Amino acid sequence: MIKRELYKKTIRRRLRQLTALLGVWAVLVGGRLISVQIAQHEHWRAQADRQQRRAIRIAPVRGTIYDRAGRELAKSVEAPSIFAVPAEIEDVEHTARELARVLRMAPGTLRERLSERRDFVWVKRKVSPEEAMAIKALALPGIHFVTENKRTYPNGGLAAHVLGYAGIDEVGLEGIEFTYDREIRGEESTVFVFRDARGRTYERKQRPVAHGHDLILTLDATIQFHTERELSEAVRRTGAQSGVAIVLDPKTGEILALANAPAFDPNAFARASEAARRNRAIRDLYEPGSVFKIVTFAAALEEGMLRPNEIIECLGGRIVLAGHTIRDHRPFFRLTAREVLEQSSNVGTIQIALRLGAERLAHYIERFGFGRRTGIELPGEARGIVRPVRRWTPVSVGSIAIGQEVGVTALQMAAAMAVIANDGVWVQPHLVRAIRSREGKVVKRSNPERRRVLRAETARALATLLEGVVERGTGRLAQLSGYSAAGKTGTAQQFDPRTRRYSKTRYVASFAGFAPVTDPRIVVLVALDHPRTRYFGGEVAAPVFKRIAETALHALNVTPDRPQQRPLLALRANFASEGTEGEWGLGDSPAETENGLHLSSLPAPGGGGNAIVRERQEAVLVRVPDFRGQGVRAVTEHCARIGLRPIISGSGRAVRQEPAAGTLVVRGTTCRVEFQ
């Protein structure tokens, strides 16, 4: 009995001990569970995610860049990218060999990547659809695909120096793409790849991407295309080292075209040379030469120190300043101020500058914006070189008056000419009209700086003088068909740092002007660096101005202010010929003839008459092609080949056109093509 009681007490004691032990164990386990599941929840969850899930960052979808008419200049498209999970690869050698064959990559490079002790490696990003299909067909273990976004430029090299380009991670590296990267870029996306305990992929999820804002540019794709074409042809024809052409609206400061030669394709920017990618229009400095005389004349007219018809002594085309001789290209003696500008007399211009003095001349150079950036929305714009008056030499007032001893950009010079065309008001050149959200809401509009430089009367008086340059002076080859024009030629010797003298073989030939004179709609600047055939601005740059200006005015539907010349019929007989600048038209005066042939005497189609006349009449007639189904670039190139002036609306493929296909028209006729 006693033994039984002792046994029961022992059992109860041991049960209490076990219960206590279990209680302590339960408390410890519960505490640990609370610690792991609550206090350390995020830590262990993150560790589990690292083991089971791989996050792949995907570049954002950049906004689309449009021209002023809504045509796409840059956009993002989906592109497959290939990655590998090395743990899943069964045969590294075979996999590397097959991938290298399709992707045209080095087998050794791929073998090294696929052998890494990592759970994720890129094989090749943003491959072509054909490459992706070929790799998928191989069904290689451990090789996977993810959809990324790729920046593409559907028009190839069109406006490349304005647009710039984006890198492999969709980050803007140059041009508008760089300046507005924050607005265009949007937000990154993430692809989550889930794996089991053996490291095998069993699921993939992608977070939706956030699109960036769209940009509406001031560029006109049609004008840009023709400007690039004419500039490239001029560089080729003259053997120039490079060239720049700018078209802008003087009233708004909107740049309609900005072209550089040589050019490049932003779709393959890495293969282009640094020289081809350089935006010379805003980065390269040059001495403008005689085009800069507009500043000297503007200052003298504004200060009341010059009358257009007063006589200027030109001293036989030779003047000496502080022992330094400056000559004219011809021995002028007594010219009116009007003729000084028309004939581009250096001596006459210096005589006017001496009246002004260094202080006044420097003041107007600053007012026109030289020596500081215009503020255009592109990276790397140069300030130019304008020395303070205290550093001028006794020769400087004469040299600077004729465009030496100063360094300007092409854009600065175009903006200065725009002051004359805009009644004396400088308007900041700009490229972006608006920033728009993906929903179509305008987020921001351009608000360019404006400031008055000259009185309106002064600007109009100078515009009349510049019209004389085109009508009677050195810029006669810049005369337009159907439109009045004004401008100034420039032939600037380049300074040779080796000899510390101006070169006798290297020049910058330029022309800057505007049209129509009565109501200027465009300013056009053309500059050719080191042309090797002819080098006078009036010979090599003025004809390029003519062709670009005529195309731009027609594209903008500007009404001719000289209707008696019938601009749509006053066409170049040798439109497709090389190296000729002649015009022949249906004018009324003997001046509007060429080679002694009065075109008003042309017989009606099908009639009799001189065989030469009939041959030349046929030379200006073309049949309108059927553009339906073609892309924008194909249509514009076709029009350029046969001499039609395209006006493009919409994007995609051509669906309608006017005139109709098969219509016989005169070269230069405007052809409207609608795309969808």
Side-chain angles (χ1 to χ4, degrees), residues 13-197:
R13 186 177 67 251
R14 290 179 177 178
L15 285 174
R16 285 194 300 269
Q17 291 174 345
L18 180 60
T19 303
L21 183 61
L22 289 174
V24 172
W25 177 82
V27 169
L28 292 174
V29 171
R32 182 58 177 166
L33 289 174
I34 292 173
S35 174
V36 170
Q37 296 185 3
I38 299 178
Q40 299 179 345
H41 171 76
E42 295 300 328
H43 168 76
W44 293 111
R45 180 178 179 179
Q47 187 160 325
D49 284 344
R50 284 194 296 270
Q51 293 177 350
Q52 300 174 7
R53 184 180 67 175
R54 171 73 186 186
I56 305 172
R57 297 171 63 185
I58 302 298
V61 179
R62 296 177 71 82
T64 302
I65 302 178
Y66 299 94
D67 83 336
R68 63 192 301 115
R71 294 176 284 234
E72 292 179 341
L73 299 176
K75 62 180 181 179
S76 291
V77 296
E78 291 186 346
S81 289
I82 305 172
F83 70 92
V85 179
E88 299 178 0
I89 298 176
E90 299 172 355
D91 187 339
V92 172
E93 185 66 35
H94 170 73
T95 303
R97 188 171 56 252
E98 290 297 304
L99 290 173
R101 178 177 57 83
V102 176
L103 300 177
R104 296 184 294 278
M105 296 176 65
T109 302
L110 286 170
R111 191 182 308 109
E112 184 178 340
R113 289 185 192 177
L114 301 180
S115 300
E116 293 183 15
R117 298 178 62 84
R118 297 167 55 189
D119 53 10
F120 170 89
V121 291
W122 284 114
V123 175
K124 188 175 182 180
R125 299 178 66 184
K126 302 178 183 181
V127 300
S128 67
E130 294 76 18
E131 289 175 325
M133 290 179 61
I135 296 298
K136 288 179 180 178
L138 295 174
L140 298 170
I143 302 301
H144 304 277
F145 293 83
V146 66
T147 301
E148 290 198 277
N149 303 294
K150 180 181 180 181
R151 200 61 163 170
T152 185
Y153 303 88
N155 301 301
L158 187 72
H161 293 93
V162 172
L163 298 173
Y165 42 84
I168 191 70
D169 291 315
E170 297 297 282
V171 176
L173 301 178
E174 189 57 270
I176 288 291
E177 295 273 26
F178 174 84
T179 305
Y180 286 87
D181 183 65
R182 180 177 298 178
E183 290 83 357
I184 297 174
R185 196 176 182 200
E187 297 179 6
E188 291 183 338
S189 175
T190 305
V191 173
F192 295 104
V193 179
F194 296 90
R195 298 164 299 174
D196 60 18

Side-chain angles (χ1 to χ4, degrees), residues 262-288:
F264 72 101
D265 185 349
N267 291 300
F269 68 88
R271 294 200 292 268
S273 66
E274 184 179 350
R277 297 198 303 265
R278 185 173 181 81
N279 192 341
R280 302 173 189 275
I282 65 167
R283 293 182 179 176
D284 283 8
L285 300 180
Y286 68 101
E287 292 189 354

Side-chain angles (χ1 to χ4, degrees), residues 453-468:
V453 177
L454 304 170
R455 289 179 291 113
E457 305 80 53
T458 301
R460 291 168 190 161
L462 184 51
T464 301
L465 297 182
L466 292 172
E467 185 177 14

Side-chain angles (χ1 to χ4, degrees), residues 22 409 419 449 462 583 618 626:
L22 289 174
T409 66
V419 170
E449 176 191 347
L462 184 51
E583 283 287 326
E618 292 171 0
D626 187 352

Side-chain angles (χ1 to χ4, degrees), residues 266-580:
N267 291 300
F269 68 88
R271 294 200 292 268
S273 66
E274 184 179 350
R277 297 198 303 265
R278 185 173 181 81
N279 192 341
R280 302 173 189 275
I282 65 167
R283 293 182 179 176
D284 283 8
L285 300 180
Y286 68 101
E287 292 189 354
S290 294
V291 178
F292 201 75
K293 291 174 182 175
I294 65 172
V295 178
T296 306
F297 272 77
L301 290 169
E302 182 78 355
E303 293 292 324
M305 294 184 170
L306 184 69
R307 299 187 309 276
N309 293 319
E310 71 172 282
I311 299 299
I312 306 294
E313 293 292 343
C314 296
L315 310 175
R318 179 177 178 274
I319 190 171
V320 179
L321 295 177
H324 183 79
T325 302
I326 300 177
R327 291 182 172 85
D328 273 330
H329 57 93
R330 285 169 54 192
F332 300 114
F333 289 91
R334 302 181 79 232
L335 298 175
T336 64
R338 184 187 308 275
E339 291 169 335
V340 168
L341 192 60
E342 290 175 358
Q343 301 304 321
S344 198
S345 168
N346 289 336
V347 175
T349 305
I350 291 171
Q351 293 279 50
I352 296 169
L354 291 174
R355 295 183 188 180
L356 280 168
E359 293 287 348
R360 284 197 186 95
L361 181 57
H363 172 67
Y364 280 92
I365 291 172
E366 190 274 334
R367 287 179 66 171
F368 269 92
F370 295 105
R372 64 176 182 267
R373 298 183 181 94
T374 66
I376 191 172
E377 312 96 315
L378 291 173
E381 182 184 12
R383 291 180 178 274
I385 300 174
V386 178
R387 290 180 292 127
V389 178
R390 66 179 181 275
R391 294 177 55 194
W392 288 20
T393 69
V395 181
S396 294
V397 68
S399 297
I400 292 173
I402 61 174
Q404 295 179 348
E405 292 190 30
V406 291
V408 307
T409 66
L411 183 61
Q412 287 175 333
M413 200 68 245
M417 183 61 75
V419 170
I420 313 303
N422 192 34
D423 284 345
V425 177
W426 184 90
V427 184
Q428 181 183 18
H430 59 283
L431 284 160
V432 177
R433 293 186 108 186
I435 303 174
R436 191 176 64 190
S437 68
R438 298 293 293 184
E439 293 73 32
K441 180 182 178 181
V442 174
V443 177
K444 183 180 179 181
R445 294 187 185 276
S446 63
N447 183 26
E449 176 191 347
R450 295 171 179 268
R451 64 173 185 272
R452 180 162 290 283
V453 177
L454 304 170
R455 289 179 291 113
E457 305 80 53
T458 301
R460 291 168 190 161
L462 184 51
T464 301
L465 297 182
L466 292 172
E467 185 177 14
V469 173
V470 174
E471 294 293 330
R472 299 174 295 276
T474 57
R476 288 190 295 274
L477 290 179
Q479 292 178 18
L480 307 183
S481 297
Y483 299 94
S484 59
K488 186 69 190 76
T489 57
T491 307
Q493 289 176 286
Q494 293 182 330
F495 187 78
D496 189 340
R498 292 184 296 105
T499 63
R500 300 190 64 79
R501 294 178 179 273
Y502 283 98
S503 171
K504 294 183 179 181
T505 59
R506 295 185 66 93
Y507 296 85
V508 174
S510 63
F511 186 92
F514 53 89
V517 177
T518 51
D519 182 23
R521 294 289 303 277
I522 58 169
V523 167
V524 180
L525 178 139
V526 177
L528 300 174
D529 181 15
H530 189 30
R532 290 175 173 80
T533 53
R534 295 170 292 173
Y535 56 82
F536 288 108
E539 291 183 325
V540 297
V544 185
F545 164 88
K546 168 189 172 62
R547 290 191 285 271
I548 292 174
E550 286 179 349
T551 298
L553 291 169
H554 282 291
L556 296 172
N557 290 321
V558 177
T559 303
D561 62 344
R562 293 187 175 177
Q564 72 277 9
Q565 289 185 294
R566 302 180 194 177
L568 292 182
L569 300 179
L571 309 164
R572 283 187 291 142
N574 47 12
F575 187 93
S577 300
E578 179 181 332
T580 54

Side-chain angles (χ1 to χ4, degrees), residues 571-576 584 612-622 642 665-667:
L571 309 164
R572 283 187 291 142
N574 47 12
F575 187 93
W584 62 294
I612 297 177
V613 173
R614 287 198 302 273
E615 180 181 351
R616 296 197 66 173
Q617 183 184 23
E618 292 171 0
V620 297
L621 296 178
V622 295
I642 64 177
V665 298
V666 179
R667 287 185 188 271

